[in-house]
Amino acid sequence: DITMGALGTVTYRDGEAIIGFGHPFFSNGASSMPLTTVSIYDTMKSFEASFKLGQLGTVIGEITQDRAAAVGGRIGGTAKTVGLRYEVHDLDRSRGEAFNVSLVNVPRMMPEFLLSTGLEATDLALDRVGPGTVEVTYEIQGTGMPTLERKDVFLSITDVGLYAPWQLAEIVAALQYNEFRDPGITHIAASMQVESDLRAIQIEHLELASDVYMPGDTIQFALDLQ
């Protein structure tokens, strides 16, 4: 539902194997990224840096290497991607949309991808940029982790679509760069309920019944809200 990618020149093909670009993409070394066709509409000439105008086509294989000299891959391969689903419900207009994306698993770029695709999804679904309140539910699945679920509420007086994908990007970055084990993330989902009204509660005071808690204890507290 949302396409992001890069286009470049095929340098050499030997049967189903290809190399291209003549330079690195992310410099990832061993990689797994979709290889697609592309339609080139025009070449923009420039003494500074010429570039091509084009549109990505269908997936036909996999990019498996991303090195200093070139990217390389094979036609017919299948990239291992992370499934991403955004559901955006506009409560003011009583309508919703769902967006599905196959996301390349590049940990240092994943937060950027999650933020940009999330912003695109919310802007397309809401068809506006402005204030409001969003209630969001995240679900993250992986082979090296239990399913993580989290709910949160954000409000903004400028752009309500920003904060939910922003927080999701930070959560995924923390998981992928934790010091214990690879979470092996396979699927990410976010469901957002958005309305234009500002629903805000401010915590004025919090008092805990104890200063120390052990795993399994029940936490008791007094809370003053405005």
PDB file of all heavy atoms in Angstrom, residues 62-96:
ATOM      1  N   GLU A  62      15.764 -10.966  -5.382  1.00  0.00           N
ATOM      2  CA  GLU A  62      16.299 -10.553  -4.089  1.00  0.00           C
ATOM      3  C   GLU A  62      17.693  -9.962  -4.252  1.00  0.00           C
ATOM      4  O   GLU A  62      18.530 -10.502  -4.973  1.00  0.00           O
ATOM      5  CB  GLU A  62      16.377 -11.767  -3.155  1.00  0.00           C
ATOM      6  CG  GLU A  62      16.936 -11.457  -1.770  1.00  0.00           C
ATOM      7  CD  GLU A  62      17.157 -12.699  -0.924  1.00  0.00           C
ATOM      8  OE1 GLU A  62      17.135 -13.817  -1.492  1.00  0.00           O
ATOM      9  OE2 GLU A  62      17.342 -12.552   0.291  1.00  0.00           O
ATOM     10  N   ILE A  63      17.926  -8.835  -3.580  1.00  0.00           N
ATOM     11  CA  ILE A  63      19.266  -8.278  -3.425  1.00  0.00           C
ATOM     12  C   ILE A  63      19.893  -8.952  -2.205  1.00  0.00           C
ATOM     13  O   ILE A  63      19.359  -8.863  -1.099  1.00  0.00           O
ATOM     14  CB  ILE A  63      19.230  -6.753  -3.238  1.00  0.00           C
ATOM     15  CG1 ILE A  63      18.670  -6.059  -4.477  1.00  0.00           C
ATOM     16  CG2 ILE A  63      20.618  -6.217  -2.912  1.00  0.00           C
ATOM     17  CD1 ILE A  63      19.554  -6.188  -5.699  1.00  0.00           C
ATOM     18  N   THR A  64      21.018  -9.613  -2.409  1.00  0.00           N
ATOM     19  CA  THR A  64      21.636 -10.395  -1.331  1.00  0.00           C
ATOM     20  C   THR A  64      22.947  -9.812  -0.823  1.00  0.00           C
ATOM     21  O   THR A  64      23.431 -10.215   0.231  1.00  0.00           O
ATOM     22  CB  THR A  64      21.895 -11.833  -1.803  1.00  0.00           C
ATOM     23  OG1 THR A  64      22.752 -11.796  -2.959  1.00  0.00           O
ATOM     24  CG2 THR A  64      20.591 -12.537  -2.161  1.00  0.00           C
ATOM     25  N   GLN A  65      23.543  -8.880  -1.579  1.00  0.00           N
ATOM     26  CA  GLN A  65      24.815  -8.277  -1.167  1.00  0.00           C
ATOM     27  C   GLN A  65      24.756  -6.766  -1.383  1.00  0.00           C
ATOM     28  O   GLN A  65      24.211  -6.293  -2.376  1.00  0.00           O
ATOM     29  CB  GLN A  65      25.982  -8.865  -1.957  1.00  0.00           C
ATOM     30  CG  GLN A  65      26.193 -10.356  -1.753  1.00  0.00           C
ATOM     31  CD  GLN A  65      26.655 -10.696  -0.351  1.00  0.00           C
ATOM     32  OE1 GLN A  65      27.374  -9.913   0.281  1.00  0.00           O
ATOM     33  NE2 GLN A  65      26.254 -11.865   0.139  1.00  0.00           N
ATOM     34  N   ASP A  66      25.324  -6.039  -0.437  1.00  0.00           N
ATOM     35  CA  ASP A  66      25.361  -4.578  -0.493  1.00  0.00           C
ATOM     36  C   ASP A  66      26.769  -4.152  -0.080  1.00  0.00           C
ATOM     37  O   ASP A  66      27.053  -3.959   1.098  1.00  0.00           O
ATOM     38  CB  ASP A  66      24.285  -4.016   0.444  1.00  0.00           C
ATOM     39  CG  ASP A  66      24.175  -2.500   0.383  1.00  0.00           C
ATOM     40  OD1 ASP A  66      24.921  -1.869  -0.384  1.00  0.00           O
ATOM     41  OD2 ASP A  66      23.326  -1.955   1.110  1.00  0.00           O
ATOM     42  N   ARG A  67      27.667  -4.055  -1.086  1.00  0.00           N
ATOM     43  CA  ARG A  67      29.088  -3.852  -0.815  1.00  0.00           C
ATOM     44  C   ARG A  67      29.565  -2.519  -1.372  1.00  0.00           C
ATOM     45  O   ARG A  67      28.821  -1.801  -2.037  1.00  0.00           O
ATOM     46  CB  ARG A  67      29.887  -5.005  -1.432  1.00  0.00           C
ATOM     47  CG  ARG A  67      29.462  -6.392  -0.964  1.00  0.00           C
ATOM     48  CD  ARG A  67      29.844  -6.660   0.463  1.00  0.00           C
ATOM     49  NE  ARG A  67      29.414  -7.990   0.892  1.00  0.00           N
ATOM     50  CZ  ARG A  67      29.716  -8.530   2.074  1.00  0.00           C
ATOM     51  NH1 ARG A  67      30.464  -7.847   2.940  1.00  0.00           N
ATOM     52  NH2 ARG A  67      29.278  -9.727   2.409  1.00  0.00           N
ATOM     53  N   ALA A  68      30.833  -2.206  -1.139  1.00  0.00           N
ATOM     54  CA  ALA A  68      31.386  -0.919  -1.551  1.00  0.00           C
ATOM     55  C   ALA A  68      31.346  -0.737  -3.063  1.00  0.00           C
ATOM     56  O   ALA A  68      31.100   0.366  -3.559  1.00  0.00           O
ATOM     57  CB  ALA A  68      32.823  -0.775  -1.044  1.00  0.00           C
ATOM     58  N   ALA A  69      31.568  -1.806  -3.820  1.00  0.00           N
ATOM     59  CA  ALA A  69      31.650  -1.692  -5.275  1.00  0.00           C
ATOM     60  C   ALA A  69      30.293  -1.740  -5.951  1.00  0.00           C
ATOM     61  O   ALA A  69      30.110  -1.176  -7.039  1.00  0.00           O
ATOM     62  CB  ALA A  69      32.531  -2.803  -5.845  1.00  0.00           C
ATOM     63  N   ALA A  70      29.300  -2.417  -5.344  1.00  0.00           N
ATOM     64  CA  ALA A  70      28.012  -2.617  -6.020  1.00  0.00           C
ATOM     65  C   ALA A  70      27.047  -3.325  -5.083  1.00  0.00           C
ATOM     66  O   ALA A  70      27.418  -3.805  -4.006  1.00  0.00           O
ATOM     67  CB  ALA A  70      28.195  -3.449  -7.289  1.00  0.00           C
ATOM     68  N   VAL A  71      25.792  -3.388  -5.519  1.00  0.00           N
ATOM     69  CA  VAL A  71      24.825  -4.290  -4.909  1.00  0.00           C
ATOM     70  C   VAL A  71      24.698  -5.496  -5.831  1.00  0.00           C
ATOM     71  O   VAL A  71      24.890  -5.385  -7.046  1.00  0.00           O
ATOM     72  CB  VAL A  71      23.455  -3.631  -4.684  1.00  0.00           C
ATOM     73  CG1 VAL A  71      23.574  -2.440  -3.745  1.00  0.00           C
ATOM     74  CG2 VAL A  71      22.818  -3.203  -5.998  1.00  0.00           C
ATOM     75  N   GLY A  72      24.381  -6.637  -5.262  1.00  0.00           N
ATOM     76  CA  GLY A  72      24.261  -7.848  -6.056  1.00  0.00           C
ATOM     77  C   GLY A  72      23.084  -8.677  -5.605  1.00  0.00           C
ATOM     78  O   GLY A  72      22.681  -8.631  -4.437  1.00  0.00           O
ATOM     79  N   GLY A  73      22.514  -9.423  -6.535  1.00  0.00           N
ATOM     80  CA  GLY A  73      21.377 -10.255  -6.188  1.00  0.00           C
ATOM     81  C   GLY A  73      21.072 -11.268  -7.255  1.00  0.00           C
ATOM     82  O   GLY A  73      21.862 -11.503  -8.164  1.00  0.00           O
ATOM     83  N   ARG A  74      19.884 -11.857  -7.141  1.00  0.00           N
ATOM     84  CA  ARG A  74      19.494 -12.905  -8.064  1.00  0.00           C
ATOM     85  C   ARG A  74      18.019 -12.777  -8.414  1.00  0.00           C
ATOM     86  O   ARG A  74      17.170 -12.610  -7.530  1.00  0.00           O
ATOM     87  CB  ARG A  74      19.763 -14.282  -7.447  1.00  0.00           C
ATOM     88  CG  ARG A  74      19.496 -15.457  -8.375  1.00  0.00           C
ATOM     89  CD  ARG A  74      20.023 -16.746  -7.777  1.00  0.00           C
ATOM     90  NE  ARG A  74      21.479 -16.720  -7.652  1.00  0.00           N
ATOM     91  CZ  ARG A  74      22.296 -17.030  -8.659  1.00  0.00           C
ATOM     92  NH1 ARG A  74      21.822 -17.386  -9.835  1.00  0.00           N
ATOM     93  NH2 ARG A  74      23.604 -16.979  -8.477  1.00  0.00           N
ATOM     94  N   ILE A  75      17.723 -12.856  -9.697  1.00  0.00           N
ATOM     95  CA  ILE A  75      16.339 -12.874 -10.163  1.00  0.00           C
ATOM     96  C   ILE A  75      15.710 -14.201  -9.753  1.00  0.00           C
ATOM     97  O   ILE A  75      16.301 -15.263  -9.950  1.00  0.00           O
ATOM     98  CB  ILE A  75      16.283 -12.684 -11.692  1.00  0.00           C
ATOM     99  CG1 ILE A  75      16.849 -11.311 -12.071  1.00  0.00           C
ATOM    100  CG2 ILE A  75      14.854 -12.834 -12.204  1.00  0.00           C
ATOM    101  CD1 ILE A  75      17.015 -11.098 -13.555  1.00  0.00           C
ATOM    102  N   GLY A  76      14.536 -14.132  -9.168  1.00  0.00           N
ATOM    103  CA  GLY A  76      13.834 -15.332  -8.733  1.00  0.00           C
ATOM    104  C   GLY A  76      13.935 -15.599  -7.246  1.00  0.00           C
ATOM    105  O   GLY A  76      13.206 -16.433  -6.712  1.00  0.00           O
ATOM    106  N   GLY A  77      14.827 -14.921  -6.534  1.00  0.00           N
ATOM    107  CA  GLY A  77      14.930 -15.102  -5.092  1.00  0.00           C
ATOM    108  C   GLY A  77      13.799 -14.385  -4.361  1.00  0.00           C
ATOM    109  O   GLY A  77      13.049 -13.600  -4.942  1.00  0.00           O
ATOM    110  N   THR A  78      13.679 -14.655  -3.072  1.00  0.00           N
ATOM    111  CA  THR A  78      12.636 -14.040  -2.247  1.00  0.00           C
ATOM    112  C   THR A  78      13.271 -13.414  -1.018  1.00  0.00           C
ATOM    113  O   THR A  78      13.947 -14.110  -0.245  1.00  0.00           O
ATOM    114  CB  THR A  78      11.583 -15.073  -1.807  1.00  0.00           C
ATOM    115  OG1 THR A  78      10.997 -15.681  -2.962  1.00  0.00           O
ATOM    116  CG2 THR A  78      10.482 -14.408  -0.988  1.00  0.00           C
ATOM    117  N   ALA A  79      13.075 -12.133  -0.838  1.00  0.00           N
ATOM    118  CA  ALA A  79      13.645 -11.426   0.305  1.00  0.00           C
ATOM    119  C   ALA A  79      12.863 -11.741   1.578  1.00  0.00           C
ATOM    120  O   ALA A  79      11.645 -11.932   1.552  1.00  0.00           O
ATOM    121  CB  ALA A  79      13.643  -9.925   0.045  1.00  0.00           C
ATOM    122  N   LYS A  80      13.580 -11.787   2.715  1.00  0.00           N
ATOM    123  CA  LYS A  80      12.949 -11.979   4.012  1.00  0.00           C
ATOM    124  C   LYS A  80      12.634 -10.608   4.598  1.00  0.00           C
ATOM    125  O   LYS A  80      13.533  -9.900   5.057  1.00  0.00           O
ATOM    126  CB  LYS A  80      13.873 -12.766   4.940  1.00  0.00           C
ATOM    127  CG  LYS A  80      14.172 -14.180   4.445  1.00  0.00           C
ATOM    128  CD  LYS A  80      15.139 -14.904   5.373  1.00  0.00           C
ATOM    129  CE  LYS A  80      15.459 -16.297   4.868  1.00  0.00           C
ATOM    130  NZ  LYS A  80      16.432 -16.999   5.742  1.00  0.00           N
ATOM    131  N   THR A  81      11.386 -10.237   4.571  1.00  0.00           N
ATOM    132  CA  THR A  81      10.972  -8.908   5.021  1.00  0.00           C
ATOM    133  C   THR A  81      10.153  -9.000   6.306  1.00  0.00           C
ATOM    134  O   THR A  81       9.724 -10.085   6.716  1.00  0.00           O
ATOM    135  CB  THR A  81      10.158  -8.194   3.935  1.00  0.00           C
ATOM    136  OG1 THR A  81       9.022  -9.006   3.580  1.00  0.00           O
ATOM    137  CG2 THR A  81      11.002  -7.956   2.685  1.00  0.00           C
ATOM    138  N   VAL A  82       9.936  -7.859   6.922  1.00  0.00           N
ATOM    139  CA  VAL A  82       9.111  -7.753   8.127  1.00  0.00           C
ATOM    140  C   VAL A  82       7.728  -7.247   7.714  1.00  0.00           C
ATOM    141  O   VAL A  82       7.615  -6.230   7.030  1.00  0.00           O
ATOM    142  CB  VAL A  82       9.753  -6.790   9.152  1.00  0.00           C
ATOM    143  CG1 VAL A  82       8.830  -6.601  10.360  1.00  0.00           C
ATOM    144  CG2 VAL A  82      11.112  -7.304   9.592  1.00  0.00           C
ATOM    145  N   GLY A  83       6.690  -7.952   8.117  1.00  0.00           N
ATOM    146  CA  GLY A  83       5.326  -7.516   7.823  1.00  0.00           C
ATOM    147  C   GLY A  83       4.937  -6.340   8.695  1.00  0.00           C
ATOM    148  O   GLY A  83       5.126  -6.362   9.916  1.00  0.00           O
ATOM    149  N   LEU A  84       4.417  -5.300   8.080  1.00  0.00           N
ATOM    150  CA  LEU A  84       4.007  -4.092   8.804  1.00  0.00           C
ATOM    151  C   LEU A  84       2.568  -3.764   8.434  1.00  0.00           C
ATOM    152  O   LEU A  84       2.214  -3.730   7.249  1.00  0.00           O
ATOM    153  CB  LEU A  84       4.916  -2.918   8.445  1.00  0.00           C
ATOM    154  CG  LEU A  84       4.518  -1.534   8.953  1.00  0.00           C
ATOM    155  CD1 LEU A  84       4.515  -1.483  10.475  1.00  0.00           C
ATOM    156  CD2 LEU A  84       5.451  -0.464   8.387  1.00  0.00           C
ATOM    157  N   ARG A  85       1.736  -3.529   9.432  1.00  0.00           N
ATOM    158  CA  ARG A  85       0.333  -3.178   9.196  1.00  0.00           C
ATOM    159  C   ARG A  85      -0.052  -1.980  10.058  1.00  0.00           C
ATOM    160  O   ARG A  85       0.131  -1.999  11.283  1.00  0.00           O
ATOM    161  CB  ARG A  85      -0.596  -4.348   9.517  1.00  0.00           C
ATOM    162  CG  ARG A  85      -2.092  -4.052   9.283  1.00  0.00           C
ATOM    163  CD  ARG A  85      -2.938  -5.289   9.504  1.00  0.00           C
ATOM    164  NE  ARG A  85      -4.364  -5.036   9.392  1.00  0.00           N
ATOM    165  CZ  ARG A  85      -5.048  -5.041   8.253  1.00  0.00           C
ATOM    166  NH1 ARG A  85      -4.415  -5.283   7.111  1.00  0.00           N
ATOM    167  NH2 ARG A  85      -6.351  -4.814   8.226  1.00  0.00           N
ATOM    168  N   TYR A  86      -0.540  -0.945   9.411  1.00  0.00           N
ATOM    169  CA  TYR A  86      -1.092   0.223  10.095  1.00  0.00           C
ATOM    170  C   TYR A  86      -2.598   0.268   9.863  1.00  0.00           C
ATOM    171  O   TYR A  86      -3.047   0.185   8.714  1.00  0.00           O
ATOM    172  CB  TYR A  86      -0.481   1.524   9.546  1.00  0.00           C
ATOM    173  CG  TYR A  86       0.876   1.890  10.091  1.00  0.00           C
ATOM    174  CD1 TYR A  86       2.010   1.807   9.297  1.00  0.00           C
ATOM    175  CD2 TYR A  86       1.029   2.339  11.405  1.00  0.00           C
ATOM    176  CE1 TYR A  86       3.265   2.155   9.781  1.00  0.00           C
ATOM    177  CE2 TYR A  86       2.274   2.685  11.892  1.00  0.00           C
ATOM    178  CZ  TYR A  86       3.383   2.597  11.084  1.00  0.00           C
ATOM    179  OH  TYR A  86       4.619   2.937  11.571  1.00  0.00           O
ATOM    180  N   GLU A  87      -3.373   0.369  10.937  1.00  0.00           N
ATOM    181  CA  GLU A  87      -4.814   0.602  10.839  1.00  0.00           C
ATOM    182  C   GLU A  87      -5.103   1.976  11.433  1.00  0.00           C
ATOM    183  O   GLU A  87      -4.719   2.263  12.564  1.00  0.00           O
ATOM    184  CB  GLU A  87      -5.595  -0.468  11.584  1.00  0.00           C
ATOM    185  CG  GLU A  87      -5.458  -1.866  10.988  1.00  0.00           C
ATOM    186  CD  GLU A  87      -6.273  -2.899  11.741  1.00  0.00           C
ATOM    187  OE1 GLU A  87      -7.007  -2.507  12.681  1.00  0.00           O
ATOM    188  OE2 GLU A  87      -6.186  -4.091  11.401  1.00  0.00           O
ATOM    189  N   VAL A  88      -5.748   2.820  10.657  1.00  0.00           N
ATOM    190  CA  VAL A  88      -6.050   4.186  11.094  1.00  0.00           C
ATOM    191  C   VAL A  88      -7.557   4.387  11.029  1.00  0.00           C
ATOM    192  O   VAL A  88      -8.163   4.255   9.949  1.00  0.00           O
ATOM    193  CB  VAL A  88      -5.339   5.232  10.220  1.00  0.00           C
ATOM    194  CG1 VAL A  88      -5.579   6.627  10.781  1.00  0.00           C
ATOM    195  CG2 VAL A  88      -3.841   4.943  10.134  1.00  0.00           C
ATOM    196  N   HIS A  89      -8.166   4.690  12.173  1.00  0.00           N
ATOM    197  CA  HIS A  89      -9.613   4.897  12.251  1.00  0.00           C
ATOM    198  C   HIS A  89      -9.881   6.368  12.574  1.00  0.00           C
ATOM    199  O   HIS A  89      -9.451   6.875  13.610  1.00  0.00           O
ATOM    200  CB  HIS A  89     -10.233   4.002  13.321  1.00  0.00           C
ATOM    201  CG  HIS A  89      -9.953   2.538  13.124  1.00  0.00           C
ATOM    202  ND1 HIS A  89     -10.725   1.745  12.312  1.00  0.00           N
ATOM    203  CD2 HIS A  89      -8.962   1.748  13.614  1.00  0.00           C
ATOM    204  CE1 HIS A  89     -10.243   0.509  12.314  1.00  0.00           C
ATOM    205  NE2 HIS A  89      -9.170   0.488  13.096  1.00  0.00           N
ATOM    206  N   ASP A  90     -10.566   7.042  11.674  1.00  0.00           N
ATOM    207  CA  ASP A  90     -10.930   8.447  11.848  1.00  0.00           C
ATOM    208  C   ASP A  90     -12.294   8.488  12.519  1.00  0.00           C
ATOM    209  O   ASP A  90     -13.329   8.255  11.874  1.00  0.00           O
ATOM    210  CB  ASP A  90     -10.962   9.150  10.484  1.00  0.00           C
ATOM    211  CG  ASP A  90     -11.182  10.651  10.597  1.00  0.00           C
ATOM    212  OD1 ASP A  90     -11.616  11.105  11.682  1.00  0.00           O
ATOM    213  OD2 ASP A  90     -10.927  11.365   9.617  1.00  0.00           O
ATOM    214  N   LEU A  91     -12.324   8.757  13.831  1.00  0.00           N
ATOM    215  CA  LEU A  91     -13.579   8.743  14.579  1.00  0.00           C
ATOM    216  C   LEU A  91     -14.488   9.899  14.188  1.00  0.00           C
ATOM    217  O   LEU A  91     -15.712   9.789  14.294  1.00  0.00           O
ATOM    218  CB  LEU A  91     -13.289   8.786  16.088  1.00  0.00           C
ATOM    219  CG  LEU A  91     -12.442   7.623  16.629  1.00  0.00           C
ATOM    220  CD1 LEU A  91     -12.252   7.771  18.139  1.00  0.00           C
ATOM    221  CD2 LEU A  91     -13.078   6.283  16.306  1.00  0.00           C
ATOM    222  N   ASP A  92     -13.905  11.010  13.733  1.00  0.00           N
ATOM    223  CA  ASP A  92     -14.730  12.158  13.343  1.00  0.00           C
ATOM    224  C   ASP A  92     -15.566  11.848  12.107  1.00  0.00           C
ATOM    225  O   ASP A  92     -16.704  12.309  11.977  1.00  0.00           O
ATOM    226  CB  ASP A  92     -13.837  13.371  13.060  1.00  0.00           C
ATOM    227  CG  ASP A  92     -13.091  13.838  14.297  1.00  0.00           C
ATOM    228  OD1 ASP A  92     -13.677  13.766  15.395  1.00  0.00           O
ATOM    229  OD2 ASP A  92     -11.929  14.256  14.168  1.00  0.00           O
ATOM    230  N   ARG A  93     -15.019  11.076  11.185  1.00  0.00           N
ATOM    231  CA  ARG A  93     -15.719  10.761   9.936  1.00  0.00           C
ATOM    232  C   ARG A  93     -16.241   9.328   9.903  1.00  0.00           C
ATOM    233  O   ARG A  93     -16.818   8.909   8.891  1.00  0.00           O
ATOM    234  CB  ARG A  93     -14.797  11.000   8.742  1.00  0.00           C
ATOM    235  CG  ARG A  93     -14.355  12.447   8.580  1.00  0.00           C
ATOM    236  CD  ARG A  93     -13.636  12.647   7.263  1.00  0.00           C
ATOM    237  NE  ARG A  93     -12.383  11.887   7.199  1.00  0.00           N
ATOM    238  CZ  ARG A  93     -11.715  11.644   6.070  1.00  0.00           C
ATOM    239  NH1 ARG A  93     -12.196  12.069   4.925  1.00  0.00           N
ATOM    240  NH2 ARG A  93     -10.572  10.987   6.105  1.00  0.00           N
ATOM    241  N   SER A  94     -16.032   8.587  10.990  1.00  0.00           N
ATOM    242  CA  SER A  94     -16.510   7.199  11.098  1.00  0.00           C
ATOM    243  C   SER A  94     -16.035   6.351   9.919  1.00  0.00           C
ATOM    244  O   SER A  94     -16.816   5.647   9.261  1.00  0.00           O
ATOM    245  CB  SER A  94     -18.042   7.157  11.198  1.00  0.00           C
ATOM    246  OG  SER A  94     -18.492   7.846  12.329  1.00  0.00           O
ATOM    247  N   ARG A  95     -14.746   6.434   9.631  1.00  0.00           N
ATOM    248  CA  ARG A  95     -14.178   5.629   8.557  1.00  0.00           C
ATOM    249  C   ARG A  95     -12.751   5.245   8.926  1.00  0.00           C
ATOM    250  O   ARG A  95     -12.120   5.889   9.773  1.00  0.00           O
ATOM    251  CB  ARG A  95     -14.183   6.378   7.220  1.00  0.00           C
ATOM    252  CG  ARG A  95     -13.337   7.640   7.192  1.00  0.00           C
ATOM    253  CD  ARG A  95     -13.489   8.411   5.876  1.00  0.00           C
ATOM    254  NE  ARG A  95     -13.115   7.617   4.719  1.00  0.00           N
ATOM    255  CZ  ARG A  95     -11.885   7.565   4.214  1.00  0.00           C
ATOM    256  NH1 ARG A  95     -10.921   8.264   4.780  1.00  0.00           N
ATOM    257  NH2 ARG A  95     -11.624   6.844   3.163  1.00  0.00           N
ATOM    258  N   GLY A  96     -12.275   4.179   8.317  1.00  0.00           N
ATOM    259  CA  GLY A  96     -10.931   3.716   8.604  1.00  0.00           C
ATOM    260  C   GLY A  96     -10.270   3.104   7.385  1.00  0.00           C
ATOM    261  O   GLY A  96     -10.944   2.731   6.414  1.00  0.00           O
TER     262      GLY A  96
END
